[in-house]
Amino acid sequence: KSLRERSSVDATEVSKHDDTMAVGKNKRISKGKKGGKKKIVDPFTKKDWYSLKAPTMFSTRTFGQTLVTRSQGTKLASDGLKGRIYEVSLADLNQDEDQAYRKIKLKCDDVQGKNCLTQFHGMDFTTDKLRSLVRKWQTLIEAYVDVKTTDDYYLRIFCIAFTKKRANQIKRTCYAQSAQIRQIRAKMVEIMKQHASTCDLKELVNKFVPEVIGKEIGKACSGIFPLQNVAVRKCKVLKAPRFDVAKLMEVHGDYSEEVAAAAVDRPEEEETKEEETKAEE
């Protein structure tokens, strides 16, 4: 055989050998993708709706609904709900649009049936309200205090105030001196302590809404420097007492007569899919 013929025979043998090797190496070619195709199950089929209940200090009792995965084995739905914090506008809670600048935080403390019982967890001003108060040519005075209520809630309360012009004042600015600011701040701390330490949490929250503390601070400090827009702008719950069902029920009342969370309508297609998945299982 000539050299050309011999080289062509070798090439065909090598190509045959390569083909068999390729099949041998990639064993998964014939089998398809690993694990096969997973069944797509709508996660909402495994979830339940629960009603959110506000304490009696607010006029609206049911302020919303929340989703949670159904109890399965040792994983309970109530454990997934307890500790959740919801931020709601006070306008929605009290059906009064004038109070829309206050945000209330409510924490889920207990689950009874399809109801999540919440307790006050904090209060704050909306950003736009705070920005609207801050202006030029006046002094901003802030103070905060850590207090303990009669029902053992440790709170941190923040107060804000602004100086204002005296009657018939011609001068453009109304800046307070640092000594006056210190005096006003001391008065703020004293009044906030006095109000918070002599009442329980429910009474204190009822004082925040009509701005009882702010008005008293403004009146007490008028001799030092006239103030405007005096308000308790924020309140944090630093530490809550040990959970007590009896105390929570005092704040909430009885829900045994109420209907559980209303069922949310779903399209027929989703219902048929759900039935199919159950049948397959």
Side-chain angles (χ1 to χ4, degrees):
K1 281 183 182 179
S2 67
L3 188 66
R4 193 178 291 170
E5 286 172 356
R6 209 180 295 157
S7 63
S8 65
V9 169
D10 290 345
T12 52
E13 281 175 10
V14 167
S15 65
K16 280 178 190 174
H17 185 65
D18 281 354
D19 289 344
T20 54
M21 282 294 286
V23 173
K25 273 181 187 173
N26 305 324
K27 288 175 184 174
R28 300 216 59 81
I29 289 172
S30 57
K31 287 185 182 178
K33 280 190 177 177
K34 196 172 186 180
K37 212 171 190 183
K38 283 189 177 178
K39 288 172 192 171
I40 299 163
V41 182
D42 181 18
F44 283 86
T45 58
K46 295 176 183 175
K47 293 183 186 289
D48 279 334
W49 289 94
Y50 284 76
S51 291
L52 299 170
K53 299 289 181 183
T56 49
M57 56 190 97
F58 306 109
S59 57
T60 303
R61 302 311 308 281
T62 305
F63 66 90
Q65 292 192 329
T66 189
L67 267 175
V68 71
T69 308
R70 235 175 257 124
S71 298
Q72 196 173 21
T74 55
K75 203 173 183 186
L76 300 175
S78 59
D79 294 341
L81 288 166
K82 282 175 191 173
R84 286 189 185 184
I85 293 166
Y86 304 94
E87 195 172 69
V88 198
S89 171
L90 190 60
D92 296 332
L93 287 173
N94 280 346
Q95 301 295 313
D96 181 8
E97 212 51 50
D98 295 337
Q99 298 170 3
Y101 61 89
R102 282 188 198 273
K103 297 181 291 182
I104 302 289
K105 279 184 181 175
L106 297 168
K107 185 181 178 182
C108 177
D109 273 357
D110 195 22
V111 180
Q112 290 186 1
K114 290 278 179 185
N115 293 328
C116 296
L117 309 188
T118 61
Q119 178 61 291
F120 178 82
H121 189 69
M123 185 269 294
D124 201 359
F125 267 22
T126 54
T127 312
D128 59 308
K129 173 69 176 176
L130 270 177
R131 300 286 180 276
S132 70
L133 297 174
V134 179
R135 291 178 193 161
K136 290 201 288 183
W137 321 122
Q138 62 182 16
T139 305
L140 183 153
I141 303 160
E142 279 188 303
Y144 75 92
V145 65
D146 291 355
V147 286
K148 182 186 172 186
T149 60
T150 52
D151 51 354
D152 293 335
Y153 276 89
Y154 285 89
L155 306 174
R156 182 168 290 158
I157 305 170
F158 298 80
C159 184
I160 195 166
F162 301 87
T163 55
K164 72 171 179 183
K165 288 182 181 179
R166 295 179 191 277
N168 308 319
Q169 185 178 322
I170 298 162
K171 194 179 176 185
R172 190 181 180 187
T173 61
C174 54
Y175 297 128
Q177 294 176 346
S178 56
Q180 290 171 322
I181 292 169
R182 279 198 299 275
Q183 280 178 292
I184 291 168
R185 202 173 284 131
K187 266 272 187 290
M188 281 178 170
V189 169
E190 185 192 318
I191 292 167
M192 283 193 289
K193 266 188 182 174
Q194 184 188 319
H195 276 276
S197 57
T198 54
C199 64
D200 61 9
L201 187 69
K202 187 181 175 182
E203 287 171 32
L204 189 62
V205 174
N206 288 332
K207 283 180 181 180
F208 288 154
V209 178
E211 205 52 75
V212 173
I213 300 170
K215 284 172 186 171
E216 195 174 319
I217 290 168
K219 205 177 279 181
C221 296
S222 59
I224 303 165
F225 205 103
L227 296 177
Q228 63 179 345
N229 300 324
V230 187
V232 173
R233 68 167 184 87
K234 190 175 181 179
C235 175
K236 284 184 190 176
V237 175
L238 300 178
K239 191 182 173 188
R242 191 171 285 175
F243 175 67
D244 184 3
V245 182
K247 280 186 180 176
L248 187 67
M249 293 316 291
E250 277 174 29
V251 177
H252 276 272
D254 189 25
Y255 294 114
S256 56
E257 293 173 15
E258 278 197 27
V259 183
V264 178
D265 295 327
R266 302 182 69 196
E268 287 176 20
E269 294 172 20
E270 288 185 22
E271 283 174 16
T272 51
K273 278 181 190 175
E274 197 179 322
E275 284 165 18
E276 284 170 21
T277 50
K278 280 180 182 175
E280 283 171 19
E281 285 170 4

